[in-house]
Amino acid sequence: MRNILTDTLTATYRVRSSAADIAARATAIAVEQSVEMPVAPITHPFVRDTIIGRVEAIKDIGDGLFDVRITLSAATVGDDPGQLMNMLFGNSSIQDDLTLLDAELPPSLLAKFGGPRHGMAGLRENVGATGRALTASALKPQGLPAAELGALAGRLALGGLDYIKDDHGLAEQYYSPFHARVPAVQRAVLAARKSTGRATRYLPALSGTLETMRAQLAIARTEGVDCVLIAPMICGVSTFHALVTEHPDIAFITHPALAGASRIAPPLHFGKLFRLFGADGVVYPNYGGRFAYSPETCRDIGAAGKAPWGGLKTTIPIPAGGMTAERAPEMLAFYGADVMLLIGGGLLAAGADLTNVTARFVKAVEGYRYT
Amino acid sequence: MRNILTDTLTATYRVRSSAADIAARATAIAVEQSVEMPVAPITHPFVRDTIIGRVEAIKDIGDGLFDVRITLSAATVGDDPGQLMNMLFGNSSIQDDLTLLDAELPPSLLAKFGGPRHGMAGLRENVGATGRALTASALKPQGLPAAELGALAGRLALGGLDYIKDDHGLAEQYYSPFHARVPAVQRAVLAARKSTGRATRYLPALSGTLETMRAQLAIARTEGVDCVLIAPMICGVSTFHALVTEHPDIAFITHPALAGASRIAPPLHFGKLFRLFGADGVVYPNYGGRFAYSPETCRDIGAAGKAPWGGLKTTIPIPAGGMTAERAPEMLAFYGADVMLLIGGGLLAAGADLTNVTARFVKAVEGYRYT
């Protein structure tokens, strides 16, 4: 079960091609994603028999599209999440006739990366929520000084939210650097918890390198923070996973910034790969907001994150991006209770009435009857 | 000139839209890439006047496409390359109706990131090459043990190449881990240098996190290596730039793995952004090979890397991806002398005749008469 020398992984690409060309194109992809050179001069038996990618299946799905399944040696990945991305889509990402549709990984790689350390159950347990969807909002706009972000967080927390995250645009800007922002926000959230009796969590956004993120996590820990936001496609999946491994008691929610629209199918990207590397929850653009994902894509992201996969914990889907409190019932009907509803601007637009509007959103989610 | 509080940067997006909708769409992009919330409730003067993105220009370029120029505060970037990517294209990358076409940055950001430490001139000086194109090849296939990669490198170096890089797929696999591969290859290259009298350089590929890459660089330094290969879209641009800053005496060549086909226009991506963060040379897929870049795109990548830009050193273009020695004259006519011709599989296909075929390629490049 854990023999990395003989284990294989399978990548499925959706390729635009003519029927006449697809066999050759599939072979070219298998070569591109493995040895990346003409195969004729390769005489080394191990390379020839094990390392060169193999075309396993080609399926015509109509409209000039083919799903091509390619098998690669798991030994090519080593221990590195970045190298897994490289093997799945490194060079092929630069070609414009294919997308990465799915990946199947051997138990050895699932065990190596380990998936979420807390997962959906841990995020529920944090805030004592069972049998209902979780609620969340975001601290915006960037540009506010730390004290004002703190005040804003306090007003959101008084509304009874489960999670309040930094806007992903909050980084190390002079107007609200991490070391100023995190204490201000966390203390405001803790103060509000005394009023509400809830266990509202603050998720500060990490930014920079492994080294700067480690320093940020040290600050966060000092303040009692135990959940953070991270954008793996900006910092690199290797950095993301290293932090997950080093901080098993911290929950990690991923942000999709710089993930691209669809070169990697979103259910694979967020529901499988980010989960594999340790995402306890995955933020992604919901249908009908400011982004173009279809309802089907959104449903598939959620389903992928919750599907049984080796022994990995499940990841909670966090659809967002232009959502409003009014859409809560529709979203709950669509996703069921295993979802975190993240409404940022849609709550912040309430201005002076922020806490009341937030409380009504929380109440609507908690009172929703799942059918 | 260096006031990060008032400086601005400009991002240009190519947007597919109807003429009736483009004004609203442009405003939405400006909001998405800055405050990411409805602007009406924003009362803080600094945020309202400085942080909210502004639409500077909308240009109808025909065929339902518009070039939209948006100005953002440079203060939103802080000191972090990843945050610059986030501000330029973080959320918008997930929308499917636009690409990031160009970016203009204030002198303060150019000074902050500093660009190539060696640049084209340094890469020429390394190998004593003036007035001619540079030559390069790649060590493949992955799967070979370190000793065989070393033997291969020796045979390539005997052909007189300027640079020999690891295949970007060489990472920390058990069959040729960095600590075994780099001494084996570097020693073979140094031995060949004694025969050829040339200054052939080996560029090992870095992989993993900032921490693992630092350890790899320490090994490389021990062996006398002074040039490396790195894939910034896999490791993250922040990690890449941190290494450039920490190792000013090492030259960095970037690989485009996971860069995507065209969501970020390649001339901006490789010729400007990678250069800004410190790429001395940039590998990218040449036209007419295994990738779909047009001659115009390739010309623009090279031109962007060489264009005057603040005081930044220039970056040498390294077109690759299925090139052959036979195409050398055509490529030299196209790019001129300021190029590095990287031919991997096209040389390796020579099998037993590798050194002779390599020597002929080197001779063809060195003897080419530029008109």
Side-chain angles (χ1 to χ4, degrees):
Chain A
M1 164 174 170
R2 306 188 54 158
N3 190 344
I4 197 69
L5 311 194
T6 55
D7 282 348
T8 58
L9 57 105
T10 305
T12 303
Y13 304 91
R14 182 152 291 176
V15 186
R16 179 165 297 282
S17 173
S18 68
D21 293 335
I22 187 62
R25 183 69 186 104
T27 299
I29 295 168
V31 170
E32 188 74 57
Q33 288 305 122
S34 57
V35 293
E36 206 199 319
M37 65 173 283
V39 298
I42 297 177
T43 55
H44 193 281
F46 171 71
V47 179
R48 207 181 45 209
D49 301 339
T50 303
I51 298 298
I52 298 175
R54 293 192 310 272
V55 178
E56 291 295 332
I58 298 174
K59 184 176 167 192
D60 186 342
I61 64 162
D63 295 326
L65 295 172
F66 296 82
D67 286 354
V68 174
R69 272 171 56 94
I70 286 170
T71 297
L72 299 166
S73 164
T76 60
V77 173
D79 283 336
D80 180 29
Q83 177 62 7
L84 176 57
M85 300 301 285
N86 196 18
M87 290 308 301
L88 290 173
F89 207 42
N91 268 12
S92 292
S93 79
I94 322 171
Q95 296 174 324
D96 61 2
D97 62 344
L98 81 174
T99 58
L100 175 62
L101 186 66
D102 200 5
E104 290 156 56
L105 304 176
S108 57
L109 282 181
L110 299 192
K112 183 172 288 180
F113 296 124
R117 271 40 173 179
H118 306 266
M120 188 180 315
L123 293 177
R124 288 190 170 287
E125 196 179 332
N126 270 345
V127 294
T130 52
R132 66 164 173 87
L134 302 179
T135 58
S137 189
L139 295 175
K140 310 177 188 183
Q142 66 161 298
L144 293 180
E148 297 206 25
L149 290 171
L152 190 63
R155 294 166 62 211
L156 284 166
L158 283 174
L161 293 167
D162 296 316
Y163 290 90
I164 299 172
K165 76 169 187 65
D166 276 346
D167 180 25
H168 79 287
L170 296 180
E172 290 288 10
Q173 296 100 345
Y174 80 90
Y175 40 72
S176 62
F178 196 93
H179 66 83
R181 177 172 93 238
V182 173
V185 173
Q186 174 73 353
R187 289 171 198 183
V189 169
L190 293 180
R193 283 163 64 158
K194 288 191 187 152
S195 299
T196 62
R198 290 178 177 264
T200 307
R201 290 300 206 282
Y202 166 48
L203 300 103
L206 305 181
S207 64
T209 66
L210 179 61
E211 192 163 77
T212 57
M213 288 180 172
R214 281 175 176 159
Q216 289 162 353
L217 275 162
I219 292 169
R221 284 181 173 284
T222 301
E223 296 294 326
V225 166
D226 59 5
C227 305
V228 297
L229 183 77
I230 190 167
M233 299 315 286
I234 292 179
C235 73
V237 292
S238 300
T239 299
F240 164 45
H241 180 68
L243 292 171
V244 166
T245 303
E246 291 171 12
H247 298 272
D249 55 334
I250 301 278
F252 287 79
I253 305 282
T254 59
H255 191 280
L258 211 61
S262 57
R263 298 303 315 277
I264 302 178
L268 169 65
H269 206 163
F270 308 130
K272 290 182 82 172
L273 294 173
F274 281 7
R275 176 186 180 190
L276 174 69
F277 300 138
D280 299 296
V282 290
V283 178
Y284 61 90
N286 199 37
Y287 66 92
R290 303 192 309 270
F291 300 84
Y293 285 16
S294 69
E296 186 184 14
T297 295
C298 292
R299 192 190 304 275
D300 288 350
I301 294 170
K306 298 180 218 176
W309 199 25
L312 301 192
K313 290 189 167 72
T314 58
T315 294
I316 195 163
I318 312 178
M323 296 301 101
T324 59
E326 290 67 35
R327 285 192 59 186
E330 170 215 330
M331 291 175 69
L332 296 173
F334 183 83
Y335 285 104
D338 284 337
V339 69
M340 185 187 294
L341 297 192
L342 167 59
I343 301 183
L347 294 179
L348 297 170
D353 206 28
L354 178 60
T355 298
N356 288 332
V357 168
T358 302
R360 281 201 294 275
F361 162 57
V362 168
K363 196 173 165 190
V365 173
E366 296 186 355
Y368 182 83
R369 297 295 185 87
Y370 299 89
T371 51
Chain B
M1 164 172 174
R2 305 189 56 160
N3 190 343
I4 197 70
L5 310 194
T6 55
D7 282 348
T8 58
L9 57 104
T10 305
T12 302
Y13 304 91
R14 183 152 290 177
V15 186
R16 179 166 298 283
S17 174
S18 67
D21 294 336
I22 187 61
R25 183 69 186 102
T27 300
I29 296 167
V31 169
E32 188 74 57
Q33 288 305 121
S34 56
V35 293
E36 206 198 320
M37 64 174 284
V39 297
I42 297 177
T43 55
H44 193 280
F46 171 71
V47 178
R48 208 181 46 208
D49 301 339
T50 303
I51 298 297
I52 298 175
R54 291 193 310 272
V55 177
E56 291 295 333
I58 298 174
K59 185 177 166 191
D60 186 341
I61 63 162
D63 296 327
L65 295 172
F66 297 82
D67 286 354
V68 173
R69 272 170 56 94
I70 286 171
T71 297
L72 299 166
S73 164
T76 59
V77 173
D79 284 335
D80 180 29
Q83 177 62 7
L84 176 56
M85 300 300 285
N86 197 18
M87 290 308 302
L88 290 173
F89 206 43
N91 267 11
S92 292
S93 79
I94 322 170
Q95 295 173 324
D96 62 3
D97 62 346
L98 81 174
T99 58
L100 176 62
L101 185 66
D102 200 6
E104 290 156 56
L105 304 176
S108 57
L109 283 180
L110 300 191
K112 183 171 286 180
F113 296 125
R117 272 39 173 179
H118 306 267
M120 188 180 315
L123 292 176
R124 287 190 172 286
E125 197 180 332
N126 270 346
V127 295
T130 52
R132 66 165 174 87
L134 302 178
T135 58
S137 189
L139 295 174
K140 312 176 187 185
Q142 66 161 299
L144 293 181
E148 297 206 24
L149 290 171
L152 189 63
R155 294 166 62 212
L156 283 166
L158 284 174
L161 293 166
D162 295 315
Y163 290 90
I164 299 172
K165 75 168 188 68
D166 275 349
D167 180 26
H168 79 286
L170 296 181
E172 290 288 11
Q173 297 100 346
Y174 80 90
Y175 39 72
S176 61
F178 196 93
H179 66 84
R181 177 172 94 239
V182 172
V185 172
Q186 174 72 353
R187 290 171 197 183
V189 169
L190 292 180
R193 283 163 63 158
K194 288 191 186 150
S195 300
T196 63
R198 291 178 175 263
T200 306
R201 290 299 204 283
Y202 166 47
L203 300 102
L206 305 181
S207 64
T209 66
L210 179 60
E211 192 162 79
T212 57
M213 288 180 171
R214 281 176 176 159
Q216 290 162 353
L217 275 163
I219 292 168
R221 284 182 173 283
T222 302
E223 297 294 326
V225 166
D226 59 5
C227 305
V228 297
L229 182 78
I230 189 166
M233 299 314 286
I234 292 179
C235 73
V237 292
S238 300
T239 299
F240 164 45
H241 180 67
L243 292 171
V244 167
T245 303
E246 290 171 12
H247 298 272
D249 55 334
I250 301 278
F252 287 80
I253 304 282
T254 59
H255 191 280
L258 212 61
S262 57
R263 298 303 315 278
I264 303 177
L268 169 65
H269 206 164
F270 308 131
K272 291 182 82 171
L273 293 173
F274 281 9
R275 177 187 179 190
L276 175 69
F277 300 139
D280 298 296
V282 291
V283 177
Y284 61 90
N286 198 36
Y287 66 92
R290 303 193 308 271
F291 299 83
Y293 285 15
S294 68
E296 185 185 15
T297 294
C298 292
R299 192 189 304 273
D300 288 349
I301 294 170
K306 297 181 218 175
W309 199 25
L312 301 191
K313 290 188 167 73
T314 57
T315 294
I316 196 164
I318 312 178
M323 295 301 101
T324 59
E326 290 67 34
R327 284 192 59 185
E330 170 215 331
M331 291 175 70
L332 296 173
F334 183 82
Y335 285 104
D338 284 337
V339 69
M340 185 187 294
L341 297 192
L342 168 59
I343 301 183
L347 294 179
L348 297 169
D353 205 28
L354 179 60
T355 297
N356 288 332
V357 167
T358 302
R360 282 201 293 276
F361 162 56
V362 168
K363 198 173 166 190
V365 172
E366 295 187 355
Y368 182 82
R369 299 292 185 89
Y370 298 90
T371 52

